[in-house]
Amino acid sequence: MKNNCLFCAITAGEIPSFKVYEDDVVLAYLDINPFSEGHTLVVPKAHSAGLLDTDDATLAAVVARVRKVAAHLKDVLGCDGFNIMQNNGEAAGQTVMHLHFHIIPRYAGKAFSFAGEKGDMDKLKALAERIAF
Ligand code: AMP
Ligand code: ZN
């Protein structure tokens, strides 16, 4: 696996993903254990472990993409809001040690918890095909 890192392997195409957006800086794809419909990860192509290991220019470029993808998700999903989550360190719940931002769409009146449930792969595939840009 590239860099012995799951998200580097996805960027390298060694492992498939449900792609939502890609440019020179990031790859964004659906989280396979979504907290809500459209839960998307925005992942820089360059490896760094977390917020404190990432240089300012890269971080600024990634955050600009987080906003771009979030704006798109709001448009196509019709969600009422969204949470941005970014975990650092095992103690904070980080499980993949490659910087990533969660965009978690929120729907007014819909039950929600910050606990992922294993997604239905066919539904995730169909959703990614519908919302990719
Ligand atoms: P974190 O807990 O912030 O490190 O988040 C890692 C996220 O990656 C979790 O929400 C996982 O569900 C998600 N994840 C793990 N493997 C994959 C994968 N192959 N494709 C998409 N998301 C994944
Ligand atoms: Zn990596």
Side-chain angles (χ1 to χ4, degrees):
M1 195 185 336
K2 181 150 188 213
N3 286 346
N4 211 15
C5 169
L6 174 64
F7 288 173
C8 283
I10 290 176
T11 294
E14 293 172 10
I15 293 172
S17 66
F18 299 114
K19 184 157 86 174
V20 172
Y21 175 78
E22 180 172 15
D23 64 17
D24 53 330
V25 177
V26 301
L27 186 60
Y29 39 89
L30 295 177
D31 195 303
I32 55 172
N33 305 300
F35 297 172
S36 66
E37 181 177 65
H39 181 168
T40 297
L41 303 176
V42 179
V43 185
K45 289 186 167 178
H47 181 89
S48 61
L51 195 73
L52 303 182
D53 309 282
T54 307
D55 66 82
D56 286 356
T58 302
L59 190 60
V62 174
V63 170
R65 271 66 175 187
V66 170
R67 181 166 66 174
K68 181 184 175 101
V69 175
H72 174 76
L73 292 178
K74 200 156 186 291
D75 271 358
V76 293
L77 294 169
C79 60
D80 301 296
F82 56 87
N83 297 102
I84 301 298
M85 186 173 88
Q86 196 276 308
N87 298 330
N88 294 275
E90 261 176 56
Q94 186 178 9
T95 58
V96 180
M97 299 301 158
H98 177 130
L99 177 72
H100 56 280
F101 288 81
H102 298 252
I103 304 174
I104 304 160
R106 298 293 298 272
Y107 302 89
K110 197 161 187 189
F112 176 85
S113 94
F114 283 100
E117 279 185 18
K118 191 161 168 31
D120 174 321
M121 295 297 137
D122 291 336
K123 284 193 180 147
L124 290 175
K125 182 170 184 282
L127 178 61
E129 282 168 4
R130 179 160 74 83
I131 67 177
F133 71 116

